[in-house]
Amino acid sequence: MTTATITSYLSEHRERHLEELIDLLSVPSVSALPAHNADTLRAAEWMSESLRKLGMENVALHPTKGHPIVYGDWLHAGEDKPTVLIYGHYDVQPVDPLHLWDTPPFEPAIREERIYARGASDDKGQTFMHIKALEAVLATTGTLPFNFKFCIEGEEEVGSPNLPAFIEQNKEMLAADVVVVSDTSMIEEDKPTICYGLRGMCGFQLDVKGPKRDLHSGLYGGAVANPIHAVVELLASFHDGDGVVTVDGFYDKVVPLTSEEKAAFEAIGFDEAVVKEEVGVQEFYGEKGYSFYERTWVRPTLEINGVYGGFQGDGIKTVLPSEAHAKITCRLVPDQDPDEILALLQEHVTMHKPAGVEVTVSLFDKGAPFVTPFNHPAIQAASRAFEKVWEVPTTFTRGGGSLPIVSTLDEVLQAPIVLMGFGLPSDNVHAPNENFKLKNFDKGLLTLCAYWEELAAALDVE
Amino acid sequence: MTTATITSYLSEHRERHLEELIDLLSVPSVSALPAHNADTLRAAEWMSESLRKLGMENVALHPTKGHPIVYGDWLHAGEDKPTVLIYGHYDVQPVDPLHLWDTPPFEPAIREERIYARGASDDKGQTFMHIKALEAVLATTGTLPFNFKFCIEGEEEVGSPNLPAFIEQNKEMLAADVVVVSDTSMIEEDKPTICYGLRGMCGFQLDVKGPKRDLHSGLYGGAVANPIHAVVELLASFHDGDGVVTVDGFYDKVVPLTSEEKAAFEAIGFDEAVVKEEVGVQEFYGEKGYSFYERTWVRPTLEINGVYGGFQGDGIKTVLPSEAHAKITCRLVPDQDPDEILALLQEHVTMHKPAGVEVTVSLFDKGAPFVTPFNHPAIQAASRAFEKVWEVPTTFTRGGGSLPIVSTLDEVLQAPIVLMGFGLPSDNVHAPNENFKLKNFDKGLLTLCAYWEELAAALDVE
């Protein structure tokens, strides 16, 4: 295949592709709302039908306790060839507040070179692009360089409650050498971006119990331990004055950045004034010797997300409360293990438990950190594909947040994960007037086609 | 006057006295409820009428923005004689939940030697006793050993909002050498008790402001100061691990207990197991080397009454909140000055303000601590009066709470305050089935009469 052939195929079929996309975006597949269950199913069927037309085999809607998972594969590259798994989702966020939409969320409208509809960017539009890119490669070359598998779920917007079990139970069927996910955004317009790692998470709630009922602070204060005093003492023990986590062993397994990664992050540039204005702070804060990106992407954190106890109304109430509480989450980086970190945290709580109160620790769900090595051929091939189409250097990032499903894919399938996102910060995902820029749709299709070519070269596939 | 004459007078007139008391307790003078404004006024008029009948002069209802203050005096002891001011209140607490009352709260009922009605103990019953004791002294001796003034307010149960200004504006009219208040309880049955000091109070709210909006803790955690981290660090800085307040200069003006006071508190006895069971704790807590009574009565405290920030719902929300808050009150003891302590606290906050956040301190209302010296003749005379009637040693206590109005009387009138309370812990004040034990009514009347005699001797009044 040549770039020229692909370009002309995509150009010729652009109108039809957009018509198909409009059709897909017209289905109100809001997974959170039971009233839309039939619509959500319809989107699943639309996806499976589209896969069938593409020439995928074993196409099926795999039932779950919630919305079904669409699977399909094309395994004709041969057993000796690598396999690529493409993950996406056909469900969308709710649309409230509806009155803020300029055009109805499920009546896709093109204006100013953007297509407006719920799901245009997140993630129906981007999942659709994968199907159309493979259509173009098949149409122009008659074959595909790898075996391909699609796994398109319908519950991403409600936290993917059923996907982990599905992956675990079907790991043979889903086995792959590379996993590609297009459900993220570029850092800014015309800056193609590869996010090659995300932080993991673990968290817990602290419940501190003192006297059996609220007491009058004048009558008992000074003689009965106050659960608020205990909780603030315990919480304050988690950090030193510079924001460094003081839990024993917390940083032991943290993998330092390579010099290539450091250089890649420095190349991004960071407009401190803009970010300060955006979040409304005078100064940043955190571990000395680390940049903003390092602090939020590659350093682990312990963040107190909530604290509460005693009186919260206006004015004063002289109470010594019976209870106080806190909610805490840690962001984890390779090679921290959530279970190991939770054990360290529990040990810390035991060691620092103030006298006179009982402290209970309740664990929340957890997720491992994930990183595909920066220099992995699958990452570097993606970078070259972006640069070929966009004609600028690819930006490499890692993410401060967590995508539990990516951790699961990573853990169960043990394959490198490539996050090739074509969205933009201006796409309004999860908000009114979600849209997808047509330039990103067009160039994204070209990038995906280029990726398969670059990846084939990198993996030495004839 | 002789004890025998007084005893026989009170005995002869007991039936009438109880009828009058029942009449007074029938008036539903609930100061908190506007629907009872006419009733509350009726109670004020009842009191003023009763004072007139007693022979008090200058009896008047002094209007306030709320309920009027009843004043009356008898100044015929002569200018060279001491003046006693009796403070009481004619208003009562609301009665909810009404269904828990065995007999209606404003239909006084005598059963098992107790009179049941809202206000029986707090404080109509006890205020009434002062009027009847003076009636008995006047009737049996034809005169009174001191000049007497009554100040009976109608807003004690709603925090006495108008009394401080009234006292300030009428300090000549209210000037006295001794102030007597009967609005407290004995520590237990048959243990006459004098509470000779109360703690003062000052308090403030801490508002910690970080980013201008709530942030995603995965995207910004570790690089933007978290207001919860700041508030817990600041709050934890107020105490050391043993519950000692670490604010510089906090204890500088604390007057240590005398050995007589220490002995008096030790004489009370303290059933640790009972109090632990009552509040539901395994162990007490606080400054080393101090007893429970010392910790709660004569040591100052800094108590965090509330803390809140971020997420408080079920489960987890990965938020780095924009704000966090705390409410703090200190209990103060002689000779701590609320304004000085507030200045020290503000200095502490300034010194310990964590980086990256703004901290605002808002002050609450304050009240000075009060103590009438243990060895003051007015206190010791009260003790002898109690012992004469009850035939057991008087228990001396101080209170951990604060009664702002007592502080005001103390500050403005500069007279010793004697808290002679005849209530019992079983009186159910502020609760359903409030009652007053008739034994305490009878012995209390005798005690008051004995007090004027003992006080006259102590103050060397012919």
Side-chain angles (χ1 to χ4, degrees):
Chain A
M1 96 183 155
T2 66
T3 308
T5 334
I6 289 284
T7 307
S8 91
Y9 178 89
L10 288 172
S11 170
E12 254 171 58
H13 295 270
R14 186 175 190 255
E15 204 170 330
R16 175 177 56 86
H17 286 167
L18 286 177
E19 276 165 18
E20 287 178 26
L21 177 58
I22 285 169
D23 191 45
L24 170 61
L25 295 177
S26 303
V27 184
S29 50
V30 183
S31 53
L33 303 176
H36 282 289
N37 281 355
D39 298 318
T40 307
L41 180 62
R42 198 142 55 87
E45 284 164 349
W46 197 104
M47 283 293 185
S48 63
E49 189 50 36
S50 189
L51 290 180
R52 266 187 214 102
K53 272 189 206 152
L54 173 63
M56 293 281 128
E57 295 163 345
N58 301 310
V59 175
L61 267 58
H62 291 261
T64 72
K65 281 179 201 159
H67 304 295
I69 292 162
V70 180
Y71 175 84
D73 60 32
W74 184 95
L75 306 176
H76 300 290
E79 278 188 18
D80 57 329
K81 291 289 193 306
T83 298
V84 172
L85 174 70
I86 295 164
Y87 163 87
H89 64 91
Y90 63 82
D91 66 322
V92 299
Q93 277 277 317
V95 297
D96 315 308
L98 191 57
H99 70 278
L100 294 182
W101 288 77
D102 295 331
T103 47
F106 298 110
E107 296 176 21
I110 295 177
R111 56 180 182 273
E112 290 166 358
E113 290 304 303
R114 289 172 178 269
I115 180 164
Y116 284 84
R118 172 59 84 227
S121 172
D122 176 16
D123 181 48
K124 282 172 169 177
Q126 298 201 57
T127 304
F128 176 77
M129 285 164 66
H130 274 284
I131 301 175
K132 294 301 121 178
L134 292 191
E135 175 195 303
V137 177
L138 268 172
T140 52
T141 68
T143 187
L144 297 173
F146 311 109
N147 301 305
F148 275 92
K149 296 174 176 178
F150 277 88
C151 173
I152 310 175
E153 73 156 320
E155 299 188 304
E156 199 273 349
E157 301 295 2
V158 291
S160 305
N162 296 300
L163 192 62
F166 177 79
I167 295 173
E168 195 64 60
Q169 285 155 19
N170 296 280
K171 58 183 165 190
E172 293 306 316
M173 180 175 85
L174 298 169
D177 300 285
V178 176
V179 179
V180 180
V181 179
S182 297
D183 192 20
T184 52
S185 292
M186 298 183 172
I187 198 162
E188 61 183 75
E189 197 164 343
D190 293 324
K191 279 207 178 171
T193 307
I194 295 172
C195 174
Y196 67 98
L198 292 169
R199 294 197 288 190
M201 196 167 83
C202 64
F204 60 102
Q205 176 158 336
L206 281 179
D207 297 300
V208 179
K209 186 93 183 74
K212 68 180 175 191
R213 57 181 170 86
D214 285 3
L215 300 178
H216 187 303
S217 70
L219 304 186
Y220 294 95
V224 172
N226 181 332
I228 301 182
H229 296 198
V231 88
V232 302
E233 186 184 327
L234 195 46
L235 293 174
S237 76
F238 283 119
H239 293 94
D240 72 10
D242 293 321
V244 177
V245 177
T246 50
V247 173
D248 244 14
F250 188 74
Y251 295 100
D252 282 1
K253 297 209 173 165
V254 173
V255 178
L257 277 192
T258 64
S259 51
E260 287 90 348
E261 289 176 289
K262 248 181 146 46
F265 293 172
E266 275 161 22
I268 300 170
F270 179 70
D271 195 331
E272 214 173 287
V274 167
V275 181
K276 281 180 180 170
E277 167 63 28
E278 189 194 308
V279 302
V281 294
Q282 300 290 321
E283 43 181 337
F284 289 123
Y285 178 81
E287 284 184 280
K288 291 205 170 76
Y290 294 94
S291 70
F292 184 93
Y293 290 139
E294 288 172 325
R295 285 170 177 172
T296 54
W297 294 348
V298 299
R299 297 295 297 172
T301 63
L302 183 153
E303 215 63 27
I304 309 169
N305 305 116
V307 66
Y308 50 107
F311 182 61
Q312 306 189 16
D314 281 341
I316 200 170
K317 183 180 175 188
T318 51
V319 64
L320 189 169
S322 169
E323 299 176 3
H325 311 271
K327 288 170 187 280
I328 293 162
T329 51
C330 292
R331 297 289 169 167
L332 307 179
V333 300
D335 289 330
Q336 288 180 303
D337 176 80
D339 289 314
E340 275 176 33
I341 294 294
L342 285 171
L344 296 178
L345 292 166
Q346 284 186 292
E347 209 174 299
H348 182 95
V349 170
T350 306
M351 296 277 292
H352 290 78
K353 189 195 92 62
V357 294
E358 283 165 44
V359 178
T360 312
V361 174
S362 311
L363 306 183
F364 293 136
D365 276 352
K366 55 187 189 287
F370 125 78
V371 70
T372 297
F374 182 73
N375 288 320
H376 194 285
I379 293 290
Q380 293 301 323
S383 166
R384 285 192 302 277
F386 268 127
E387 291 180 14
K388 201 163 156 184
V389 176
W390 253 268
E391 300 177 321
V392 293
T394 299
T395 298
F396 286 92
T397 68
R398 279 164 66 172
S402 308
L403 275 178
I405 188 54
V406 171
S407 301
T408 308
L409 288 166
D410 182 45
E411 277 176 4
V412 180
L413 303 182
Q414 296 279 320
I417 295 173
V418 182
L419 302 182
M420 292 183 81
F422 302 103
L424 287 176
S426 56
D427 284 358
N428 294 332
V429 298
H430 293 208
N433 299 316
E434 178 175 349
N435 67 84
F436 194 48
K437 196 160 178 125
L438 293 183
K439 181 171 79 178
N440 283 40
F441 178 76
D442 294 328
K443 285 195 169 186
L445 281 169
L446 286 170
T447 306
L448 288 174
C449 296
Y451 182 46
W452 305 132
E453 199 169 13
E454 291 289 342
L455 186 62
L459 300 183
D460 211 11
V461 175
E462 297 150 24
Chain B
M1 96 182 157
T2 66
T3 308
T5 335
I6 288 285
T7 307
S8 90
Y9 178 88
L10 288 172
S11 171
E12 255 171 57
H13 296 268
R14 186 176 190 253
E15 203 169 331
R16 175 177 56 84
H17 286 167
L18 286 177
E19 275 164 21
E20 286 177 28
L21 177 59
I22 285 171
D23 191 45
L24 170 60
L25 295 177
S26 303
V27 185
S29 51
V30 183
S31 53
L33 302 176
H36 282 289
N37 281 355
D39 299 317
T40 307
L41 180 62
R42 198 142 55 87
E45 285 162 350
W46 196 104
M47 284 292 184
S48 63
E49 190 50 34
S50 188
L51 291 180
R52 265 189 214 102
K53 274 189 204 150
L54 174 63
M56 293 280 127
E57 296 163 346
N58 301 309
V59 176
L61 266 57
H62 292 260
T64 71
K65 281 179 200 158
H67 304 295
I69 292 162
V70 180
Y71 175 84
D73 59 32
W74 184 94
L75 306 177
H76 301 289
E79 276 186 21
D80 57 331
K81 290 290 193 305
T83 300
V84 171
L85 174 70
I86 295 165
Y87 163 87
H89 63 92
Y90 62 82
D91 65 322
V92 299
Q93 277 277 317
V95 297
D96 315 307
L98 190 57
H99 71 278
L100 294 182
W101 287 77
D102 294 330
T103 47
F106 299 110
E107 296 176 20
I110 294 176
R111 57 181 183 273
E112 290 166 0
E113 289 305 303
R114 290 173 177 268
I115 180 164
Y116 285 84
R118 171 59 86 228
S121 172
D122 176 17
D123 179 50
K124 282 170 167 178
Q126 298 201 58
T127 303
F128 176 78
M129 285 164 68
H130 275 284
I131 301 175
K132 296 299 120 179
L134 292 190
E135 176 196 302
V137 178
L138 268 171
T140 53
T141 68
T143 187
L144 297 175
F146 311 109
N147 301 305
F148 275 93
K149 297 175 177 177
F150 277 89
C151 173
I152 310 175
E153 72 157 319
E155 299 187 305
E156 200 271 351
E157 301 295 2
V158 291
S160 305
N162 296 299
L163 191 63
F166 176 79
I167 295 174
E168 194 66 58
Q169 285 154 22
N170 296 282
K171 58 183 163 189
E172 293 306 317
M173 180 174 85
L174 299 169
D177 300 284
V178 177
V179 179
V180 180
V181 179
S182 297
D183 192 19
T184 51
S185 291
M186 298 183 173
I187 199 162
E188 61 184 75
E189 196 163 344
D190 292 324
K191 278 207 178 171
T193 307
I194 295 173
C195 173
Y196 67 99
L198 292 168
R199 294 197 289 190
M201 196 169 80
C202 64
F204 60 102
Q205 175 157 337
L206 280 179
D207 297 300
V208 179
K209 184 93 183 76
K212 69 181 173 191
R213 57 180 170 84
D214 285 2
L215 301 177
H216 187 303
S217 70
L219 305 186
Y220 294 95
V224 171
N226 180 332
I228 300 182
H229 297 199
V231 89
V232 302
E233 187 184 326
L234 195 46
L235 293 174
S237 77
F238 283 118
H239 293 93
D240 72 9
D242 293 322
V244 176
V245 178
T246 51
V247 174
D248 243 15
F250 188 75
Y251 295 99
D252 282 2
K253 298 207 172 167
V254 174
V255 178
L257 277 192
T258 64
S259 50
E260 287 90 347
E261 289 176 289
K262 247 181 147 43
F265 294 172
E266 275 162 22
I268 301 171
F270 179 69
D271 194 332
E272 215 173 287
V274 167
V275 181
K276 280 180 180 170
E277 167 63 27
E278 189 193 309
V279 302
V281 294
Q282 299 292 321
E283 42 181 335
F284 289 122
Y285 177 81
E287 286 184 278
K288 291 206 169 73
Y290 294 95
S291 70
F292 185 92
Y293 290 139
E294 288 172 323
R295 286 170 176 170
T296 55
W297 292 349
V298 298
R299 295 296 297 171
T301 63
L302 183 153
E303 216 62 28
I304 309 170
N305 305 116
V307 65
Y308 50 107
F311 183 62
Q312 306 189 16
D314 281 341
I316 200 171
K317 184 182 176 188
T318 51
V319 64
L320 189 169
S322 170
E323 298 176 4
H325 311 271
K327 289 170 186 281
I328 293 161
T329 50
C330 292
R331 298 287 169 168
L332 307 179
V333 300
D335 290 329
Q336 288 180 303
D337 176 79
D339 289 314
E340 275 175 34
I341 294 294
L342 284 170
L344 296 178
L345 292 166
Q346 284 186 293
E347 208 174 301
H348 182 93
V349 171
T350 306
M351 295 278 291
H352 290 78
K353 188 195 93 62
V357 295
E358 284 165 44
V359 178
T360 312
V361 174
S362 311
L363 305 183
F364 294 135
D365 277 352
K366 55 188 188 286
F370 126 78
V371 71
T372 297
F374 182 74
N375 288 320
H376 194 286
I379 293 290
Q380 293 302 322
S383 166
R384 286 192 301 277
F386 269 128
E387 291 179 16
K388 201 165 156 182
V389 177
W390 253 269
E391 300 178 321
V392 294
T394 299
T395 298
F396 287 93
T397 68
R398 279 165 65 171
S402 308
L403 274 177
I405 188 54
V406 171
S407 302
T408 307
L409 288 166
D410 181 45
E411 277 175 4
V412 179
L413 304 182
Q414 296 281 320
I417 295 173
V418 182
L419 302 182
M420 292 184 82
F422 302 102
L424 288 175
S426 56
D427 284 358
N428 295 331
V429 298
H430 294 209
N433 299 315
E434 177 174 348
N435 68 84
F436 195 48
K437 196 160 179 124
L438 293 182
K439 180 172 79 179
N440 283 41
F441 177 77
D442 294 328
K443 286 196 167 185
L445 280 168
L446 286 171
T447 306
L448 288 173
C449 296
Y451 181 47
W452 306 131
E453 198 169 16
E454 290 290 342
L455 186 62
L459 299 183
D460 211 10
V461 174
E462 300 148 24

